Amino acid sequence: MSGEGNDNIPRNMRDIKGLLKFCIENTKSEDASGPSVFSPMDEERKKWLVEALMSMTESPQKRMLELIEILIGQVEDSKVSAIEELTEWCEDIDLASDFFKMGGLQIIPTLLNNERGKLRASVCELVAVLVQNNPTCQQVVLENKILTKLVDMLENDTDSLVKTKALYAMSCFLRGNEEGKSEFLGSMDGFSVLMRAMQSDFEKVKIKATFLLSDICLGSDKNKGTRNIYFLKPTI
């Protein structure tokens, strides 16, 4: 998977399930009721198929370690694609937990401070995938002040995409996470954070902040009293 020949293999074909989905989607137009016509496979297609099958024999954990090494390294140009691939691996909840066990935590704070906006935004998306419906990862993020960093990025980063992705990661972290929600609303003054975000110059940030604030207020009985205070408060 890490060799040059595998670069043309779609990321959604990293396992047998992905290969099956790819094959189904790319044979929809074929008429299964018609006569079958068999012909020798050309060399280019044969090479592609061999590489695709070989790529799926590699351990996901091994590949994730390789990607973490890329992110620790000094070559900036390959880091965005490495994060994007890591994000896809971590959509599996077990691999998301493995990410922290193999030392993935150490790369997150540094990458969130990277000077490249696209890289910062990609890391926020990785965090979002890691914490979504995953209490183990949520706890790691909370204990290591990554939520605090996301709040800071939402409020102070100048890149609109970074702000949007930071807010997305916060939403994934807070959804169904009562302990994290209490921390956010308490020591981080989360209601004020979201009210300020609703006054952002960036439309997507405004919309996402409004939905998140509404979700928090409507989703918890103890916050319903706060709902009227904040939604009736002028935003000028």
Side-chain angles (χ1 to χ4, degrees), residues 158-169:
T158 57
D159 189 306
S160 62
L161 180 60
V162 174
K163 284 178 175 287
T164 304
K165 294 295 184 180
L167 186 52
Y168 170 56

Side-chain angles (χ1 to χ4, degrees), residues 133-203:
N133 302 317
N134 192 329
T136 300
C137 293
Q138 290 170 356
Q139 193 62 35
V140 173
V141 165
L142 186 60
E143 290 175 354
N144 289 275
K145 309 298 183 183
I146 295 174
L147 179 62
T148 303
K149 178 59 181 176
L150 293 172
V151 170
D152 178 69
M153 295 172 79
L154 170 62
E155 300 227 88
N156 299 312
D157 204 291
T158 57
D159 189 306
S160 62
L161 180 60
V162 174
K163 284 178 175 287
T164 304
K165 294 295 184 180
L167 186 52
Y168 170 56
M170 290 165 56
S171 298
C172 291
F173 172 83
L174 294 169
R175 194 169 297 118
N177 180 2
E178 293 305 316
E179 182 182 354
K181 199 178 292 184
S182 295
E183 181 78 11
F184 175 67
L185 298 178
S187 64
M188 299 182 195
D189 194 14
F191 280 119
S192 296
V193 169
L194 294 177
M195 286 297 296
R196 288 192 291 271
M198 288 170 62
Q199 300 172 60
S200 170
D201 293 332
F202 304 114
E203 193 67 22

Side-chain angles (χ1 to χ4, degrees), residues 18 26 29 43 59 65-67 109 126 129 143 148 172 186 190 206:
N26 284 273
S29 60
E43 288 302 315
S59 160
L65 280 170
E66 292 174 354
L67 294 167
L126 171 61
V129 169
E143 290 175 354
T148 303
C172 291
K206 282 183 180 180

